[in-house]
Every structure is written in structure tokens, then in C-alpha cells.
Amino acid sequence: MTRPRNLEKHLLAGGAPYSVVPLSAVERSEWRATVGAYRAAVGFADRPAPLMTSPAANPKLGKSGSWGLSLLPAMESVEWNTCYASTRDCRRLCLNTAGRGQFSDVQRARLWRVRLLADHPGMFVRALADEIRRLPHGTPVRLNVLSDIAWERVAPDLFDEPYGFYDYSKRTDRGPIPPSYHLTVSATEHTDDDELAPLAAMYGSSVAVVFSTRRGEALPTSWKGLPVVDGDEYDDRRRDPVGVVVGLRAKGRAIGTVGFVRSVA
């Protein structure tokens, strides 16, 4: 079996940084037809659909009124790897199939977007920018709902738009990070506790840690000397103080596991 290709590397080699110039009327018509064809290829009706997921369609995004780009994570598309720095536990415990993600239509919707981005990156980025520009100024936008692509390299001009961009990342090679982009580093099963403070400071933001705390129970107030904020209360991480641990409760397949999940009494 052919190993999935690194999508970000493909995008960077294919013409990045990509323009965010608005699509013309002719280009918009062509784009709608292209989207319909890619949707039809995975079993949907041959008609256009937006690239971004609305707050109403994703409970996590809905907590902050955020809009997000939902691509299949890691190697789930088989053809492309959208999270090349993902760890084994990250892939095994991914929230890709949580909630409505367990349904085929959601998985196929994330798949056609991956394929479309890979095949038509220039038009994809411009269409994505057009969708973002239709949102009220200041709207929170998460470009990597499930992926980990360095959009600051792929399409840096996106961050000149007046919106609140934020993401989580397991990578330590991101950047340079634009002032309008808030990046929270995610700890993995390979992250030692004494690495948390440096990770929180890496992008001048915070570090996310998954705890064994059950739903409805309080997270620890601090962890290894760092204050903890409840990351399940809202999704827009720009609201967090600098240098904190963003505590997340284990969900789905992560419940009861160790390593990736920090055990608390």
C-alpha cells in the first residue's frame, strides 16, 4: 500500500504562498461546479457546499461561535496525511469519529475537502478566504479543526483579514506565527511534565493537556506549577491567559487510557 503523502509539503511545493484574492464571477461559477463534482465522487449530490463548518454543526465550535475547516485528520483519507507530526495515541484516540463524526456523511464531507485542497489549492484558498470574508469581523476561525497544517506558510495573507484565528498544534516547528493567529501546543504521550512550561511559552500562548477527569467533575486548578483553565468551557483559545495549561477531559476512546491522558485523583 502506498504511504499517504504529506499534504502540507505538497501544498508548499505546489505554489505557496497562495493568494487570497476574491474569486471573480466566472471563477466562482467554475468553482461551484468543481465542488459539486468532488462531492459527487464520494456519494453526495452534485451541487456546491461550503468549505467551512458552522458553529451550529459542531458543538465544540459552537461553544465560541467559531467557524472551522474540517479535514480528515492524519492518514484517514488514505491518500494524504494532514497531520504529519501526529503520534500513535493521537491517531488512535482522535476525536474524528466523536459525536456526528461517527456518521458516513460527515467522514465523506471531510474527505472531499481534503481531495479538493490537494488538487486545487490555489482556488481552494481563495474560496476559503471568500467564505471567511462573508463572516462578521472578529468572528473566531479555526483552520485546523482536525488537521495540523501550517496555514501561516501555506496562505499567510489569510491572517491579514480582521478575524480571530486560532488552532491547536502538536508541532514545534510552526511559524512565524502572525499576530492575528493564536496557536496552542498540544501535549502528547511523549511529552514530559517538565516540558509543559516551555511548550506553553513556545508560541506565546498555552499548552493543552488531556486529563482523566470525568465529565461534570472539576479539573485540577494547577498542574506541575502551571495554572489550569477549563478548555471544555469554550473553544476560542485566544481568551486564555499566557502560560497556562488548557485542561481537557478525556473523551470517547481516550477515557481510561494512560500516557496521552494524565491521571488525576
Side-chain angles (χ1 to χ4, degrees), residues 168 184 206-209 211 228-231 237 240 244-248:
Y168 291 86
T184 297
S206 52
V207 59
V209 176
F211 292 104
V228 175
V229 299
D230 191 334
R237 301 268 61 91
D240 299 333
V244 300
V245 166
V246 177
L248 301 168

Side-chain angles (χ1 to χ4, degrees), residues 66-141:
S66 306
W67 289 72
L69 179 62
S70 299
L71 306 175
L72 278 180
M75 297 174 277
E76 291 297 315
S77 74
V78 179
E79 304 137 335
W80 298 99
N81 187 343
T82 61
C83 314
Y84 81 80
S86 63
T87 64
R88 180 179 179 181
D89 275 4
C90 175
R91 294 187 295 272
R92 182 170 63 90
L93 305 175
C94 183
L95 294 177
N96 176 44
T97 56
R100 294 195 68 251
Q102 65 187 294
F103 299 118
S104 171
D105 62 333
V106 176
Q107 293 295 302
R108 289 182 289 119
R110 293 169 181 171
L111 174 59
W112 70 254
R113 290 178 173 89
V114 171
R115 290 176 173 172
L116 190 57
L117 174 57
D119 292 348
H120 302 278
M123 292 289 282
F124 188 106
V125 169
R126 291 173 64 195
L128 176 63
D130 280 351
E131 287 190 24
I132 293 172
R133 281 189 285 258
R134 288 195 287 269
L135 301 174
H137 287 182
T139 298
V141 175

Side-chain angles (χ1 to χ4, degrees), residues 182-199:
H182 185 285
L183 207 56
T184 297
V185 182
S186 297
T188 74
E189 69 271 25
H190 303 305
T191 307
D192 295 330
D193 283 336
D194 60 5
E195 296 178 285
L196 295 177
L199 286 177

Side-chain angles (χ1 to χ4, degrees), residues 2 18 25 49-50 102 116 138 153 166 171 176 178 206 221 254:
T2 304
Y18 295 97
Q102 65 187 294
L116 190 57
R153 300 175 191 166
Y166 71 98
R171 294 167 53 177
S206 52
T221 57

Side-chain angles (χ1 to χ4, degrees), residues 12-25:
L12 293 174
Y18 295 97
S19 168
V20 297
V21 172
L23 296 175
S24 68

